[in-house]
């Protein structure tokens, strides 16, 4: 059982989810609610009964903390889910693309964590869930900015867990592989070949956002600090850990294929 679930002894968890209008954020919100938890859904546009939250805005995060305190007096689970898709080969992706994806995917989670840590410390409990990606653990060619930003989210999460453990607060990184979602709607970048490849992988995946959400809640309840929620992700992570030569061969074959298919 996760720290917040254990400490509230069966009471509904109080959960804030970012990027909750669609995709994994919506699926996570529905999964928490289905088991009786209370969810504050947030997004750029306020969901019904939720809150408008631009994760790049310090003022919006301060307003989110104030709303949580007004509504519940505390928080059990902060889910930093909102993010965007990006990537591109090293000589194609621009520095503007790098800044854009880091500002949202990394600093959004940093801002959310910094905003809620004082409250979580005061209450002496809680959990922070950061949605990273398999790309935070396994690093295919053509995706340097996405790999780097998601690896940074994994590192942020681990550090958060170490730093806050003495305050009764846990941290959990979620690292799924490709699953069917609308994340590709946010895709930006000059590398059209990479974008087309990512879109195909998402479209062909048999895994749904609901599948990932169910695995995330199971991992959270088990207290897993690294949640690798689907079998393709677990297989890829295991290959890298246990057969580095085989992993490198797969990654470099993928890199060569990307170059061949590029215009």
């Amino acid at each position: 059982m996760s720290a917040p679930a254990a400490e509230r002894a069966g009471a509904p968890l109080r959960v804030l989810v970012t990027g909750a209008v669609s995709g994994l954020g919506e699926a996570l919100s529905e999964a928490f609610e289905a088991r009786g938890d209370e969810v504050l859904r947030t997004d750029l546009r306020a969901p019904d009964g939720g809150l408008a939250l631009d994760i790049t805005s310090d003022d919006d995060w301060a307003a989110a903390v104030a709303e949580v305190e007004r509504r519940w007096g505390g928080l059990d689970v902060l889910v930093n889910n909102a993010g965007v898709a990006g990537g591109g080969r090293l000589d194609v992706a621009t520095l503007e693309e790098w800044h854009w994806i880091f500002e949202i995917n990394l600093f959004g989670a940093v801002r959310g964590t910094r905003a809620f840590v004082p409250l979580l410390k005061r209450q002496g409990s809680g959990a922070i869930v950061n949605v990273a990606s398999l790309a935070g653990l396994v690093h295919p060619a053509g995706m340097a900015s996405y790999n780097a930003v998601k690896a940074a989210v994994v590192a942020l999460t681990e550090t958060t867990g170490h730093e806050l453990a003495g305050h009764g607060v846990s941290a959990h990184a979620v690292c799924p592989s490709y699953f069917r979602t609308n994340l590709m709607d946010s895709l930006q970048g000059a590398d059209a070949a990479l974008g087309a490849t990512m879109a195909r992988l998402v479209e062909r995946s048999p895994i749904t956002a609901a599948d990932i959400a169910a695995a995330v809640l199971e991992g959270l309840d088990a207290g897993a600090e690294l949640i690798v929620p689907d079998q393709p992700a677990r297989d890829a992570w295991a290959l890298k850990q246990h057969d580095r030569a085989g992993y490198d061969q797969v990654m470099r074959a993928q890199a060569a294929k990307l170059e061949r298919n590029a215009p």
Side-chain angles (χ1 to χ4, degrees):
M1 184 175 289
S2 69
E7 286 156 6
R8 284 179 61 77
L13 298 182
R14 303 161 299 182
V15 185
L16 184 149
V17 180
T18 67
V21 163
S22 61
L24 182 56
E26 182 179 34
L28 284 166
S29 299
E30 291 174 348
F32 278 112
E33 290 169 345
R35 65 183 199 178
D37 296 327
E38 300 177 75
V39 179
L40 175 57
R41 301 190 187 204
T42 73
D43 212 302
L44 281 171
R45 293 184 182 179
D48 290 342
L51 184 70
L53 172 59
D54 177 352
I55 63 170
T56 68
S57 166
D58 292 330
D59 289 342
D60 278 13
W61 276 112
V65 173
E67 175 61 17
V68 162
E69 292 181 318
R70 183 197 68 79
R71 183 178 295 209
W72 295 322
L75 186 70
D76 298 305
V77 185
L78 168 64
V79 183
N80 287 312
N81 163 77
V84 293
R89 286 163 291 163
L90 292 165
D91 55 344
V92 180
T94 67
L95 282 178
E96 287 77 14
E97 292 170 31
W98 279 79
H99 285 291
W100 171 74
I101 201 167
F102 268 77
E103 178 64 20
I104 297 170
N105 287 5
L106 176 60
F107 287 103
V110 170
R111 286 186 169 94
T113 299
R114 282 175 51 83
F116 275 98
V117 159
L119 181 154
L120 298 176
K121 280 186 172 182
R122 285 196 305 272
Q123 68 186 24
S125 66
I128 297 172
V129 179
N130 291 327
V131 176
S133 167
L134 177 62
L137 305 173
V138 171
H139 310 309
M143 295 177 60
S145 62
Y146 196 74
N147 295 341
V149 77
K150 292 301 187 178
V153 171
V154 173
L156 167 68
T157 310
E158 181 180 333
T159 305
T160 300
H162 296 326
E163 189 170 323
L164 299 183
H167 298 276
V169 179
S170 60
H172 311 263
V174 178
C175 296
S177 65
Y178 291 100
F179 61 96
R180 295 200 304 278
T181 181
N182 63 345
L183 180 63
M184 291 300 105
D185 293 347
S186 67
L187 180 67
Q188 293 187 18
D191 197 336
L194 186 278
T197 297
M198 292 177 68
R200 282 196 301 273
L201 290 169
V202 169
E203 291 166 3
R204 294 174 182 176
S205 175
I207 304 165
T208 67
D211 295 331
I212 300 299
V216 169
L217 266 62
E218 181 179 352
L220 183 61
D221 288 344
E225 295 180 348
L226 178 63
I227 301 172
V228 185
D230 59 277
Q231 195 59 50
R234 290 190 288 270
D235 290 344
W237 179 222
L239 179 65
K240 182 175 182 179
Q241 290 178 294
H242 303 298
D243 183 5
R244 184 55 190 254
Y247 164 80
D248 288 344
Q249 184 177 13
V250 170
M251 291 294 105
R252 289 170 190 182
Q254 178 264 334
K257 182 178 180 181
L258 179 62
E259 284 292 335
R260 288 196 304 271
N261 292 340

